[in-house]
Amino acid sequence: MAEVAQKKIYKYKKVLSNPSRWEVVLKEIRTLVDMALTSPLQDDSINQAPLEIVSKLLSENTNLTTQEHENIIVAIAPLLENNHPPPDLCEFFCKHCRERPRSMVVIEVFTPVVQRILKHNMDFGKCPRLRLFTQEYILALNELNAGMEVVKKFIQSMHGPTGHCPHPRVLPNLVAVCLAAIYSCYEEFINSRDNSPSLKEIRNGCQQPCDRKPTLPLRLLHPSPDLVSQEATLSEARLKSVVVASSEIHVEVEPASTAKPALTASAGDDNEPNLIDCLMVSPACSTMSIELGPQADRTLGCYVEILKLLSDYDDWRPSLASLLQPIPFPKEALAHEKFTKELKYVIQRFAEDPRQEVHSCLLSVRAGKDGWFQLYSPGGVACDDDGELFASMVHILMGSCYKTKKFLLSLAENKLGPCMLLALRGNQTMVEILCLMLEYNIIDNNDTQLQIISTLESTGVGKRMYEQLCDRQRELKELQRKGGPTRLTLPSKSTDADLARLLSSGSFGNLENLSLAFTNVTSACAEHLIKLPSLKQLNLWSTQFGDAGLRLLSEHLTMLQVLNLCETPVTDAGLLALSSMKSLCSLNMNSTKLSADTYEDLKAKLPNLKEVDVRYTEAW
């Protein structure tokens, strides 16, 4: 019987190898399909052979009309119900999806084929064209009038009506298709990676087109090893993505002829702002931006939306979180503001989920790597808010089994600035975090401890929790009696109101060194600064502090020795007032509107001035 079937198949293969009239060919295909379906011997060879014959026929006859294409697809449809299409046939189906996405063939014939692929495929790595066909099919659905609504209904059909999807392969297969599609959107950028800028340079270039004079060129050194997807959907060489570990950031400053004032990477030096904040707030030297073409943009929108849909299913969320934990996206995607902004919904869903198996996936997959927690926290490349998502992530992690010294130590080393800023604004989770840092002796530096205490005492909830802590920790009371800190650094994005709230909360009579660099303060904060009698060093780098504030400082802070006005909007009108500050020995006016005449006047009237920076000014 098997021999008879083989002879019939051979006969049809011979007939269809030399087609004459397509009406005859179509009739022969239908007969071949009927023969395969009615054969008593039902095995893979009997069903696959007709598909292979048709696949070869189509590959050798590329000049068929659209109607002939559709007739052939309809004719072989019954065989596709229980068989995956061979590779060449997948190529043919992909072409049809691209050229005729609104064809009824897509809905009526391709839908059950794709459903079968998603339910039963075990490894797209061995049959990548099945993945490509699924990808093109979903894009075709997105081209219909209802667009994403049709895609959403398709995802719902794949999940099933119950609360638990009965098909374990559907989710990993859908994620594999999404990852491949999103990768393809950035292929043009990935293929031109030679001498490409770093992740943060790309992102900063995208967010902040630099219309100012050249600023500090920053380069990230020692990036963490590549992250690869757990799925075998893409080859390792194609799916690698570099993620910068905040604990491994180093700064290399260009030679003095082109560099701005140097950043210091010393953890104990409060003279300059937090390194991560500098990297994210200061515009990078690169002007490269991620701009996708219309088709890539539509593809990205479609597949990120699918990831968002997947995250809405409670039963899928644990596996989805696990699949995305290694951050299986190219670095170009992570540098693209639109992508990270849309993906934020998925990360929020993980952060809101009370199950430890879900929210623990926000953390890195292993030590030395950054996870979603780092990327979406203040200073991370994906952060586009003032820390709301960061606070919710910390809240859920601390509420689980992460209230440990190790976790708090990590926050203190990498995210202390954002924690203090959010606590200053009354966030209860961050107030609790700061109290725990004090209670567990996470912070060694006395000045930093005093700054945390002042931050806690600036809000009602903070003051209450700190008093409760002091009842348990007598040493903290002793520390506070010794007076306020001598050094203080405000986190980036701090405002005039934040500074006022902090300075009004404690004793700062001993404060000698204050850094407001890369914050959002303006001249309005000067009325608070002049109440600091011991202040000797003030850093206003890259703030909006202007002439009015400078005139007020010059009248009251006559003992100031070091002043950094780099990249502030001050002009000659304010800078001339500095001539009364006879104690100034270091003055940075880099990238201000300083004129040559004003510079000469200041040099003549400031006898102790030893260090001065006037680069990128008229006086340079």
Side-chain angles (χ1 to χ4, degrees):
M1 191 173 293
E3 188 178 344
V4 172
Q6 292 295 337
K7 285 183 178 179
K8 287 183 178 179
I9 290 173
Y10 179 76
K11 170 195 165 187
Y12 286 112
K13 188 174 182 180
K14 190 172 182 180
V15 170
L16 293 174
S17 63
N18 293 300
S20 53
R21 290 184 304 152
W22 280 101
E23 310 87 62
V24 176
V25 169
L26 189 60
K27 182 179 178 182
E28 294 290 344
I29 290 174
R30 288 171 180 154
T31 307
L32 173 61
V33 171
D34 288 339
M35 183 276 298
L37 293 174
T38 57
S39 172
L41 182 67
Q42 288 294 314
D43 61 13
D44 289 343
S45 62
I46 294 297
N47 289 304
Q48 281 291 332
L51 293 177
E52 297 286 354
I53 292 171
V54 173
S55 179
K56 187 173 185 296
L57 176 71
L58 292 170
S59 66
E60 292 176 351
N61 296 271
T62 57
N63 58 344
L64 299 179
T65 66
T66 303
Q67 189 58 52
E68 288 168 340
H69 278 181
E70 294 198 355
N71 289 340
I72 292 173
I73 293 172
V74 171
I76 62 174
L79 285 178
L80 295 171
E81 292 180 7
N82 297 306
N83 298 276
H84 287 336
D88 288 342
L89 203 55
C90 284
E91 290 280 1
F92 174 70
F93 290 172
C94 288
K95 182 180 179 183
H96 193 80
C97 287
R98 286 192 293 266
E99 294 179 353
R100 297 207 66 199
R102 297 171 183 268
S103 165
M104 288 307 296
V105 165
V106 173
I107 298 295
E108 294 179 357
V109 179
F110 290 167
T111 297
V113 178
V114 173
Q115 287 176 330
R116 186 179 187 280
I117 291 171
L118 290 174
K119 289 177 182 178
H120 300 292
N121 172 68
M122 296 303 293
D123 185 0
F124 276 136
K126 294 179 180 177
C127 41
R129 291 185 186 179
L130 287 180
R131 187 199 67 226
L132 187 61
F133 168 47
T134 306
Q135 179 180 326
E136 293 292 348
Y137 165 79
I138 292 174
L139 289 176
L141 294 186
N142 195 42
E143 290 294 322
L144 300 177
N145 291 335
M148 278 309 301
E149 281 303 311
V150 180
V151 176
K152 185 175 181 179
K153 288 179 180 178
F154 174 73
I155 299 298
Q156 289 173 341
S157 73
M158 295 309 306
H159 179 274
T162 64
H164 188 80
C165 178
H167 305 287
R169 290 302 307 165
V170 167
L171 177 67
N173 282 336
L174 278 171
V175 172
V177 172
C178 289
L179 296 181
I182 291 170
Y183 179 94
S184 70
C185 297
Y186 300 94
E187 206 152 16
E188 178 184 346
F189 297 96
I190 293 167
N191 290 339
S192 59
R193 274 184 180 172
D194 286 347
N195 300 317
S196 63
S198 69
L199 171 60
K200 288 181 184 291
E201 287 175 335
I202 295 173
R203 180 59 180 271
N204 283 344
C206 174
Q207 286 184 315
Q208 305 173 28
C210 186
D211 55 1
R212 299 188 292 174
K213 297 179 180 70
T215 74
L216 178 69
L218 298 175
R219 290 203 296 270
L220 301 182
L221 308 178
H222 311 301
S224 56
D226 291 346
L227 295 172
V228 294
S229 171
Q230 293 174 332
E231 275 292 302
T233 58
L234 299 174
S235 66
E236 287 186 0
R238 296 183 63 200
L239 194 58
K240 290 181 180 178
S241 69
V242 175
V243 179
V244 180
S246 55
S247 61
E248 297 178 347
I249 291 181
H250 299 267
V251 173
E252 182 178 34
V253 183
E254 294 289 346
S257 59
T258 58
K260 290 294 179 94
L263 289 172
T264 63
S266 171
D269 188 358
D270 295 330
N271 194 31
E272 298 293 346
N274 178 281
L275 263 182
I276 299 175
D277 294 336
C278 290
L279 288 167
M280 292 311 299
V281 178
S282 179
C285 58
S286 170
T287 57
M288 178 180 177
S289 63
I290 302 291
E291 293 291 341
L292 301 182
Q295 182 58 42
D297 197 61
R298 285 194 296 273
T299 300
L300 180 69
C302 174
Y303 281 98
V304 174
E305 194 65 31
I306 290 175
L307 288 176
K308 291 160 73 173
L309 292 173
L310 299 180
S311 71
D312 284 333
Y313 289 95
D314 286 344
D315 62 316
W316 275 352
R317 204 174 299 129
S319 295
L320 178 64
S322 178
L323 288 169
L324 297 188
Q325 186 179 16
I327 314 184
F329 299 103
K331 66 178 183 179
E332 288 78 3
L334 300 174
H336 188 197
E337 186 177 8
K338 178 178 179 179
F339 173 74
T340 53
K341 188 173 183 179
E342 290 296 316
L343 195 68
K344 185 177 179 181
Y345 177 88
V346 178
I347 307 307
Q348 284 176 321
R349 297 295 280 153
F350 296 162
E352 293 164 0
D353 197 297
R355 291 169 291 185
Q356 183 189 338
E357 60 182 314
V358 176
H359 60 246
S360 64
C361 291
L362 294 170
L363 299 172
S364 57
V365 71
R366 65 178 182 269
K369 295 279 189 181
D370 270 3
W372 295 113
F373 176 75
Q374 285 81 11
L375 293 185
Y376 276 93
S377 61
V381 293
C383 182
D384 63 350
D385 56 29
D386 287 331
E388 291 88 350
L389 178 57
F390 171 63
S392 64
M393 288 191 290
V394 171
H395 176 75
I396 192 70
L397 290 169
M398 289 296 293
S400 185
C401 63
Y402 296 99
K403 196 174 289 188
T404 63
K405 194 168 183 177
K406 183 178 179 182
F407 183 67
L408 290 170
L409 187 61
S410 174
L411 287 178
E413 289 177 350
N414 301 306
K415 300 296 175 186
L416 183 58
C419 287
M420 285 198 289
L421 181 58
L422 289 168
L424 193 62
R425 294 175 179 176
N427 185 280
Q428 187 162 342
T429 298
M430 293 305 155
V431 168
E432 180 186 355
I433 290 293
L434 294 186
C435 285
L436 287 170
M437 286 180 180
L438 293 176
E439 186 170 7
Y440 291 169
N441 295 316
I442 299 296
I443 307 297
D444 295 327
N445 185 282
N446 279 1
D447 283 339
T448 306
Q449 288 181 358
L450 290 168
Q451 183 175 348
I452 289 175
I453 292 170
S454 299
T455 300
L456 290 171
E457 292 194 322
S458 64
T459 62
V461 61
K463 194 170 185 178
R464 185 172 62 255
M465 292 185 70
Y466 176 64
E467 288 173 353
Q468 294 171 356
L469 175 60
C470 283
D471 290 340
R472 303 190 301 271
Q473 298 277 336
R474 187 175 299 173
E475 296 81 3
L476 288 175
K477 290 182 180 179
E478 293 298 323
L479 177 65
Q480 198 170 10
R481 286 197 188 99
K482 295 177 181 177
T486 58
R487 305 169 74 88
L488 181 64
T489 300
L490 254 67
S492 68
K493 297 189 179 181
S494 297
T495 63
D496 293 329
D498 295 325
L499 177 63
R501 194 180 301 118
L502 180 63
L503 293 180
S504 65
S505 66
S507 172
F508 290 93
N510 295 331
L511 188 63
E512 297 180 355
N513 187 320
L514 174 63
S515 176
L516 302 176
F518 299 96
T519 64
N520 295 330
V521 299
T522 66
S523 291
C525 75
E527 60 181 278
H528 304 290
L529 299 179
I530 61 176
K531 299 174 184 178
L532 301 172
S534 301
L535 196 62
K536 295 179 181 177
Q537 300 181 37
L538 178 60
N539 188 347
L540 294 166
W541 184 10
S542 194
T543 64
Q544 291 303 307
F545 197 91
D547 292 338
L550 210 53
R551 283 192 287 265
L552 193 57
L553 294 186
S554 66
E555 294 174 10
H556 295 83
L557 298 182
T558 55
M559 301 305 292
L560 201 66
Q561 297 176 3
V562 178
L563 180 60
N564 189 340
L565 298 171
C566 178
E567 293 183 345
T568 58
V570 295
T571 66
D572 285 347
L575 292 169
L576 280 170
L578 297 179
S579 58
S580 64
M581 304 177 78
K582 304 300 182 181
S583 297
L584 274 178
C585 57
S586 177
L587 179 59
N588 189 332
M589 297 175 285
N590 187 320
S591 301
T592 63
K593 294 180 180 178
L594 171 72
S595 70
D597 291 341
T598 297
Y599 177 45
E600 293 300 324
D601 189 65
L602 287 174
K603 284 197 297 183
K605 294 179 179 179
L606 296 175
N608 294 317
L609 197 61
K610 298 175 182 177
E611 296 179 3
V612 63
D613 188 343
V614 295
R615 285 173 296 171
Y616 308 112
T617 68
E618 189 181 303
W620 189 30

